[in-house]
Structures are given as structure tokens and as C-alpha cells.
Amino acid sequence: MEALRAPSFPSFHRQLISRHTFQKPILHIPSSRRLILPSQKSNFKCFAAISQTTPSTEEEIESDKREEKFEWYEQWYPVCAECDLDKRRPHAKKVIGIDLVVWWDRNENAWKVFEDSCPHRMAPLSEGRIDQWGRLQCVYHGWCFGGAGDCKFIPQAPRDGPPVHTSNKACVAVYPSYVQNGLLWFWPNSDPRYKDIHSTKKPHYIPELDDPSYSNMIISREVAYGYEILIENLMDPAHIPYAHYGMMKTGELPESVRADREGGRPLEISVQKVDVNGFTAKQIFGENYFIAPCIFYGHYSPSGDDQSTDGKEDVGLPPVPMILPHVPSDKKSMLIFYCIPVSPGRSRLISAATRNFAVWLDLIIPRWVFHMTPNLIIDSDLYLLHMEEKKLRDVGPLNWHKSCYIPTKADAFSTAFRRWLNKYGGTQVDWKNKYSGELPPTPPREQLFDRYWTHTVSCSSCSVAYKRLNVLKTALQVISVASVAAVAAAKQGAISIAVRYYLASMAVLCFVASKWLSHFIRKTFIYHDYDHAFH
């Protein structure tokens, strides 16, 4: 199992990459979302909480309103991975507070994204079905809709009466959608003028995700804390050796990382000028990109060497798992994070790990096996971040830098994001007055760490594995009971002593295996608590 960790959810933090490598994805940024290219020379500024570049008063925020404002509802948002969608049924999703239904229109051979509400009585269309003519049918009263959102049939309407189904009031709101990089994206505005928005403005494109020479391992998980906290956590490399300590055996880590845990070493991060479209951040081994509002990605060194290309010693960057130690230094790996606002106190992470080495692993190892490590990583942060968000909400977004003591450059990522959010994003996600602003109460711990409803049920690989392993568990239990029954029912001397011992041994082994499998299924697909004191 150790050999499976690197390709599934490798650490973000040892990045060896040439300038040419960064130019390729950046060139695909639309003109309206330009960032400074790595090839351009620029002085990097380090942002920390004590920096004068961080807005610290409401007066400064007011002055920043003269700057370009970020429009939350004029952006593309990823909804889910296409590989996790089932064309036979509709799917319920929520993005930026909007309830959506995603379904496959076989008449147009395209995914459709509708408002998840029937115009008749507002029943959720995601609870419906795809009928025999390929229409989306509401199961409450049977109203049917085509791919353009038009009502095709109302069962209760008289056949010889007026065509009430042609009324505009019978239509469903349709959102522009687009498939790119293996993800289904949607534009959160159903106004007809945005119908062909993809022809003028596309989602940010990352070419490695479509390159057949690269692997593409993707996972999606909903978490019980907000979009802002999720991005800050992913932009925080300094927490890796501590929050995820239990997943990293000391003997497997580079000496510099062990020294970092024991004595601490500076982690230098610098950030380019923050603008309305995001920013570029630089570490010793490369650069990371934040593309507003939801994309954060970068490159790392798969070799895990402790020396940089210029011979300088590693200065305590968090570890890369040492499972593929002989990967050539010229090979490339990337981590791409899509951070999706769902509702206050709720967000969705879609993570893609891609590499152009050891691609054969993805062909022989089931996708659900690769999901085990990232799910454990998410669990190990979950309670910390859930409680952190509640405390920060009490403080208020404008007082973030006053309440959090951030004296080092290791937090430059987070500070730059807060600067972007306060200066351009209105201090928080624009929910269009859908919510009161209060966070949901903290649920019981088992519900907070739930995996089944936040991942398994919506993952095409994990849901299948969950069902098959449960079938295997039941089969083992049946074999165990049948073996015991066979021994008990056999008359004295009807079967030999050897056969009796064989059946008894089989009963015990199958029983033990079923108990272990039951425990494995629960921890992998349903619920896994995480206690940092014992990890």
C-alpha cells in the first residue's frame, strides 16, 4: 500500500519546474483573467499578517472599492467530475447556493444543468427520472422537460384543450454548461444572453489534464467548512508535517523534514501582485497559481530529493511521500484543486493529481484505492477547520489579520488570498441574500466525519467498491455459518476428522475475514474518526 500514496494525493510542496512548463497552462488564461507569466521579470512581494500591504481597516476597504470588483456570478464553476456522473439518472448538486440538477440529454448528447425545481409545485427534479424519450421527468406529477428547459408534456392537461405546456411559466431555468478537463462546469446565470458564453469565455484550461501521456486521478469530497477556509488550508504547506503527521512515518521522511518537525526551519513563500483575477505565488522549488475564484494548482518534484537544482539545501518544505524514489528529476507532477462554494459552512473539493510517470499504476489499481489517502488527509484537518471557521466568523473578515498572529512568510499564501477576498471579493462569497449569514451548528462527530454521503455515494468507483465488498462480506458470513452447520448436522462418522477440521477452520477464517472486512468498509467508505493524539 505504501507504493500507492504518491500518485493518489502527493504533497504539494517540492516543486521543480522549468519556466517553459509554466508558460503552457498560463497561455490558456483568457484575456480577461491575465496573470503575470513566469517569464516576465517581477519583484515578488511577501505578504504576511503584519505586512502593510494587507487592508486592515474599513477605510482601506472603502478605498479599494475603486478597484475592479470581482463578479461572483460572471464566472465558470466546476460542478463535478464527469466520470462520476451516471447518464441513466439525474443528479442533485449545489454550487454557490444554487440548487442544480445535472442530467444527460441523449437527444443532444450533452450534459444539461437545470435549476432543481419543477415549475409546477417546485418539487426537486433531481428526484425524478429520464423517461423513455430521453426527457427529464418530475416524479411528483409527471411533467416532462427537454434539453432547452421547455415543457414537453403535462399529463393532467386535456389533450383537446389549450397547449398549456408551451407557456413560459412551464419552463425550467437552464444554466450554460461546458465540459473541460474532465469536469462539468456551469455558469451561474440563466439569462438567455449567456447561452453561448463558452464561445467567448471558457473556464481556465490546464492542458496536462487532457494530455494522454499524463495520468489523471480525480477525487471529490464535500466538507463541513466554508470555501474560504478550504482554500486557505490548501494554500498552507507549513501544516503538513504536523496535521498529517500520522500518515508520514518518520523513517520515510527526508532528514530535513524531520528536522523541521523537531526544530523548525523557515519556509519562504512570496506572492506576486494580487489583482482581481488572482495571484501567482513562488516557493523555492517553483510556482503555484490561484485563478479566482476556485482554482489553485502547482507543480512539485516527484523524486523527493533534498537538494534543489542550484545545490541549496532544502529549508524545511513539507514532505513528498518517498514511495517512488527513482523517478527522474525531469518528470512532471501536478496537483490541481478546485474549491467550490456550496453554502455558508459547506464547500466541495475536487482534486486532480496528474503525472507523466508510472502511468501504468492507474491501469491496474482501482480508482477507489487511490482515494483512501486523500480522504484520510481531509479527515485529519476536518474538525480543526470546522472549529476555526466558527471562531473566524465571530471575529469578522476585516479583523482576520488582527485576531490571527502571523509573523512569518510561511503564511504568505493565506494572507494573499485574504487580501484578494477583502479587496475584490467583497470579504466573502456573494450568496445573493439566500442565507442569514449564520453558520450551521456543529453536528455530532460521526456526522461531521461522514464519508458515505460526502464522497462514497457520489463517486462512481467508491460506490461500486462499497457494494461489491459488502457482497463479499455477506458471502464470507454465509460460508462461515454454512461450515458450522455442516459440521453440526453431520452424523458421527459421516465425515472424516480431517474434513471436520477443514470445515471448522474455514468457518473461523471466514468469520474473522468478514469482521475485518466490515471494519475496513466502515473506515474506508462510511466513517473514519481522526484523533491527532494517537496519530
Side-chain angles (χ1 to χ4, degrees), residues 13 235-243 260 267 269 316 318 408 410-411:
H13 321 294
M235 290 182 175
D236 180 15
H239 82 285
I240 298 294
Y242 307 96
D260 177 69
L267 175 60
I269 300 174
T408 71
D411 293 296

Side-chain angles (χ1 to χ4, degrees), residues 508-525:
V508 172
L509 289 175
C510 288
F511 174 77
V512 172
S514 69
K515 296 298 288 184
W516 177 88
L517 190 57
S518 178
H519 178 71
F520 176 80
I521 291 171
R522 178 173 171 78
K523 291 188 67 174
T524 304
F525 302 108

Side-chain angles (χ1 to χ4, degrees), residues 17 127 150 195 213 230 251 307 375 389 399 445 494 507 519:
I17 178 168
E127 291 297 316
D150 53 322
K195 179 181 178 181
S213 66
L230 174 61
Q307 299 293 324
N375 271 322
E389 180 177 33
N399 295 318
R445 198 170 179 91
H519 178 71

